[in-house]
Amino acid sequence: MAGRASGRERAAALFESVAALFLAAAIALTVADVCLRSIDAQWRIFGVVELVLLAFSCLVFLAMPAVFLAGENIAISLFDEAVPRRVLRFLVVAAGLGTIAYLALMDWQIVVSGLEALRFDDETMDLRIPLFLYWLPIWIGFGGGLAAEAYLLITGRFGAALEEGPDRRDAA
C-alpha cells in the first residue's frame, strides 16, 4: 500500500492537473479549428487564437508552482561536487532567497500591469476578452511559485544537490 501523499505533493498535483486541462483545451481548439478549415476554408472557430493564447498562458504559469513544489527547477550543478556540504547549503539558501526576491518583484510588477489593464478596460480584438484575464494566471503562477519557494526554504526541503550529493562532500 502506497503512503499517503503530502500536502506539498497534493498541491503540486493540483497545479499540474489544472495546467493539463488547459493544455487539453488548447490542443482541442487547435485541432478542431484545423479540421473545420480542412473541410471548408470558410469554417473556423472565431477567436481561436485568443482562446489558445489564454489557455497557454494558464498552462505555463499555473504549472510554475508545481515545478517549484516538485523540485523540478532547472538547476546547474557546477559546484555540487566541488564544494563542501556547508558551502553548498549556503549557496542553495542564497539562491532560494534570490529566487524569492525575484518572484516577489515580478509578482508586484504583474499586479501593477494587470490592474492597469483592468483600469483601462483593455480587451482582445476578436472576442473582447479582458486582458486582465491574461494577467491573472501569470499573477497566480508567480505568486504560487513565490509561496512554494518560501515554503521549501522555511521547511528546509530545497536543493536536490543537498539530498543526492556524494558522501565525499561531508569530509571536505
Side-chain angles (χ1 to χ4, degrees):
M1 178 155 107
R4 195 167 166 204
S6 69
R8 177 174 59 118
E9 292 167 337
R10 287 193 306 270
L14 174 67
F15 280 107
E16 288 174 11
S17 298
V18 171
L21 288 174
F22 281 106
L23 175 62
I27 291 170
L29 282 168
T30 303
V31 169
D33 189 53
V34 168
C35 289
L36 287 172
R37 287 175 189 242
S38 70
I39 295 169
D40 186 339
Q42 299 299 317
W43 291 5
R44 67 185 183 105
I45 299 174
F46 184 73
V48 73
V49 172
E50 293 172 3
L51 293 172
V52 169
L53 284 174
L54 182 57
F56 272 116
S57 178
C58 292
L59 161 67
V60 169
F61 292 104
L62 294 180
M64 188 185 317
V67 170
F68 280 97
L69 289 169
E72 297 295 328
N73 309 56
I74 295 174
I76 300 172
S77 58
L78 180 65
F79 299 108
D80 288 1
E81 295 181 24
V83 299
R85 192 182 261 313
R86 286 185 312 255
V87 174
L88 184 59
R89 183 178 250 317
F90 170 78
L91 291 174
V92 169
V93 170
L97 291 172
T99 300
I100 288 171
Y102 170 76
L103 290 172
L105 178 64
M106 287 298 295
D107 217 24
W108 174 57
Q109 288 301 310
I110 290 163
V111 168
V112 168
S113 297
L115 290 176
E116 192 172 286
L118 188 62
R119 187 178 84 197
F120 290 113
D121 293 326
D122 291 341
E123 299 174 327
T124 60
M125 294 293 284
D126 291 336
L127 298 177
R128 307 193 66 89
I129 299 171
L131 289 185
F132 175 77
L133 293 180
Y134 287 81
W135 284 104
L136 192 58
I138 301 171
W139 174 69
I140 292 169
F142 272 88
L146 173 63
E149 184 70 9
Y151 167 79
L152 295 174
L153 200 60
I154 290 168
T155 61
R157 295 183 177 139
F158 55 88
L162 294 175
E163 298 166 7
E164 302 169 0
D167 293 333
R168 68 174 189 219
R169 280 184 286 159
D170 289 324

